């Protein structure tokens, strides 16, 4: 099954942006797409995180700062090219267990991400907060809602039944190995699976899942020389997604049981009942 996402014409967008800008004097493009019209029920991105600090401020003193910096120190020392090759070979076997997507989401109740300076809530809350925020602004893009729900499922590798890998091997910002480290990588100073299970989400969704933590690329514009034309198109969707991944983090919890039926219906639409992990 092939799903095609119609990409808006950048030329048309530019014309629409100019007209709208003249009327409102506001920037209306985000990641190459027109921003959704804001309504009373739309997602309003906050200015500060749950600790009262700016988002992704890795130097601001907070109760998370020391934990986060120590995480990145370990990651940059240990996340080597050879290590990643071994892990890709090991986990590419998909021989750990079989289970459904929602079952996997529930496992993330046991996971808190040590690399995140903005939130210390269980990961299932982050998934649902992101998904519900996107759902408000893009109600017709159900594949994007589901992408938000599953974008961090790889963090189950922290659990004993999946090898109990250390945090530095699983979470944190993404960076390429086998080439020079760009200075836009977090704490640069310390440098001195879905396709195999018959998923029918579009390629843009898989791109988002793989690269949503690759901030040097989609925030700073680093490593663009490694991209092809399809990457450039998919990056537009990733830049949209990033807003909801980052700014939806909150101490206000989503009622899991209330929204569960909707996300179960999306899982049934795009995934088989059981997947190999």
């Amino acid at each position: 099954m092939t799903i095609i996402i119609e990409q808006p014409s950048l030329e048309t967008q530019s014309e629409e942006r100019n007209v709208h800008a003249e009327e409102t004097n506001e920037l209306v493009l985000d990641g190459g797409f027109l921003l959704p019209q804001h309504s009373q029920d739309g997602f309003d991105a906050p200015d500060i995180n749950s600790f009262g600090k700016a988002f992704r401020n890795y130097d601001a003193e907070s109760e998370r700062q020391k934990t986060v910096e120590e995480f990145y120190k370990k990651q940059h020392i240990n996340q080597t090219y050879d290590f990643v090759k071994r892990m890709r070979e090991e986990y590419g076997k998909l021989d750990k267990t079989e289970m459904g997507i929602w079952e996997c989401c529930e496992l993330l109740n046991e996971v808190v991400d040590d690399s995140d300076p903005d939130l210390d809530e269980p990961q299932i809350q982050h998934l649902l907060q992101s998904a519900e925020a996107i759902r408000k602004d893009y109600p017709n893009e159900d594949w994007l809602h589901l992408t938000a729900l599953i974008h961090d499922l790889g963090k189950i590798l922290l659990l004993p039944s999946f090898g109990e890998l250390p945090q530095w091997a699983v979470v944190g910002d993404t960076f390429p190995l086998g080439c020079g480290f760009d200075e836009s990588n977090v704490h640069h100073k310390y440098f001195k699976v879905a396709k195999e299970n018959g998923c029918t989400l579009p390629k843009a969704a898989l791109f988002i899942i793989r690269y949503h933590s690759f901030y040097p690329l989609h925030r700073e514009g680093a490593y663009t020389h490694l991209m092809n034309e399809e990457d450039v198109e998919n990056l537009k969707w990733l830049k949209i997604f990033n807003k909801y991944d980052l700014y939806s983090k909150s101490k206000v919890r989503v009622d899991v049981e209330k929204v569960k039926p909707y996300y179960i219906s999306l899982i049934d639409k795009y995934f088989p009942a059981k997947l190999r992990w």
Side-chain angles (χ1 to χ4, degrees), residues 100-114:
I101 291 290
W102 186 262
E103 188 179 353
C104 184
C105 291
E106 290 180 328
L107 289 178
L108 290 185
N109 271 324
E110 305 173 41
V111 173
V112 174
D113 186 342
D114 283 350

Side-chain angles (χ1 to χ4, degrees), residues 83 87-88 90-92 94 96 99 104 107-108 111 152-167 169-171 193 277:
F83 173 80
M87 292 300 99
R88 286 175 67 90
E90 171 63 24
Y91 287 95
L94 301 178
K96 301 297 181 286
M99 63 179 170
C104 184
L107 289 178
L108 290 185
V111 173
D152 272 347
L153 291 191
K155 293 178 182 179
I156 59 171
L157 299 184
L158 297 171
L159 302 177
S161 57
F162 291 91
E164 201 169 12
L165 294 180
Q167 289 253 349
V170 179
V171 302
V193 171
W277 301 80

Side-chain angles (χ1 to χ4, degrees), residues 228-260:
N228 60 28
E229 291 183 5
E230 185 177 49
D231 294 333
V232 172
E233 290 301 309
N234 290 334
L235 183 61
K236 299 171 186 176
W237 284 108
L238 175 52
K239 287 186 175 181
I240 286 179
F241 175 85
N242 176 250
K243 169 186 175 182
Y244 303 95
D245 179 22
L246 179 60
Y247 297 110
S248 64
K249 295 172 183 176
S250 167
K251 289 290 187 181
V252 180
R253 293 197 171 192
V254 175
D255 186 333
V256 177
E257 292 305 313
K258 182 178 180 180
V259 301
K260 180 178 177 179

Side-chain angles (χ1 to χ4, degrees), residues 165-204:
L165 294 180
Q167 289 253 349
W168 59 259
V170 179
V171 302
D173 278 14
T174 302
F175 55 93
L177 293 167
C179 62
F181 300 116
D182 192 88
E183 291 187 0
S184 60
N185 285 295
V186 173
H187 288 306
H188 175 268
K189 60 188 177 183
Y190 292 123
F191 280 126
K192 302 196 177 134
V193 171
K195 290 190 297 183
E196 299 299 327
N197 275 292
C199 165
T200 58
L201 283 169
K203 288 184 178 180

